[in-house]
Amino acid sequence: QVQLVESGGGLVQPGGSLRLSCVVSGIPIDSFYIGWFRQVPGKEREGVSCFDSRKSTTYYADSVKGRFTISGDSAKNTVYLQMNSLEPEDTAVYYCGAEGQGTVRAMCAMVRFDYLGQGAQVTVSS
């Protein structure tokens, strides 16, 4: 059974930082494209950042470039999203996803995934 479990969300002030974690079980993160998506109520889910550890390729949405960093720890089968300089516009539910085929760009740009976690709320507010 494949499971993706996010943690690390919460309330943070504008300009602050958070690190999201996604513990993956049932599949090796080294064999899948792994990504982070986010969704605001009433809006479509969007791709934030995706990566392929096999080719060391990453994709970031324009809105988070220079502020967010995606990484993975194969030994822990865990993926992280370091979020710095957070803005109120970053407020959303963040989901971790995994896909077996495609590209990191397609995964994020088209919001494609074979598996998806339950999500973690991130709220940026003063």
Side-chain angles (χ1 to χ4, degrees), residues 7-21 36-38 40 46 48 60 63-69 81-94 120-126:
S7 63
L11 173 65
V12 64
Q13 292 186 342
S17 298
L18 280 176
R19 188 177 79 156
L20 299 180
S21 299
W36 288 94
F37 308 98
R38 67 186 181 187
V40 175
E46 63 173 347
V48 175
Y60 293 96
S63 58
V64 306
K65 279 181 182 177
R67 300 188 298 122
F68 290 12
T69 303
L81 185 68
Q82 178 66 43
M83 306 184 293
N84 299 328
S85 301
L86 282 162
E87 304 167 352
E89 293 73 24
D90 296 317
T91 295
V93 177
Y94 283 72
Q121 176 70 47
V122 171
T123 302
V124 184
S125 174
S126 56

Side-chain angles (χ1 to χ4, degrees), residues 12-93:
V12 64
Q13 292 186 342
S17 298
L18 280 176
R19 188 177 79 156
L20 299 180
S21 299
C22 173
V23 178
V24 181
S25 59
I27 56 172
I29 63 171
D30 286 351
S31 299
F32 280 75
Y33 298 94
I34 305 294
W36 288 94
F37 308 98
R38 67 186 181 187
Q39 188 169 22
V40 175
K43 293 188 177 181
E44 292 186 353
R45 189 175 288 139
E46 63 173 347
V48 175
S49 181
C50 298
F51 91 120
D52 176 2
S53 63
R54 296 160 292 185
K55 299 180 180 179
S56 297
T57 55
T58 58
Y59 172 93
Y60 293 96
D62 288 343
S63 58
V64 306
K65 279 181 182 177
R67 300 188 298 122
F68 290 12
T69 303
I70 191 170
S71 63
D73 184 332
S74 299
K76 296 181 179 180
N77 219 40
T78 299
V79 181
Y80 305 98
L81 185 68
Q82 178 66 43
M83 306 184 293
N84 299 328
S85 301
L86 282 162
E87 304 167 352
E89 293 73 24
D90 296 317
T91 295
V93 177

Side-chain angles (χ1 to χ4, degrees), residues 33 37 50 97-99 101-103 106-115:
Y33 298 94
F37 308 98
C50 298
E99 185 180 44
Q101 297 182 1
T103 66
M107 183 182 184
C108 261
M110 301 175 66
V111 191
R112 290 169 43 176
F113 51 86
D114 295 322
Y115 306 101

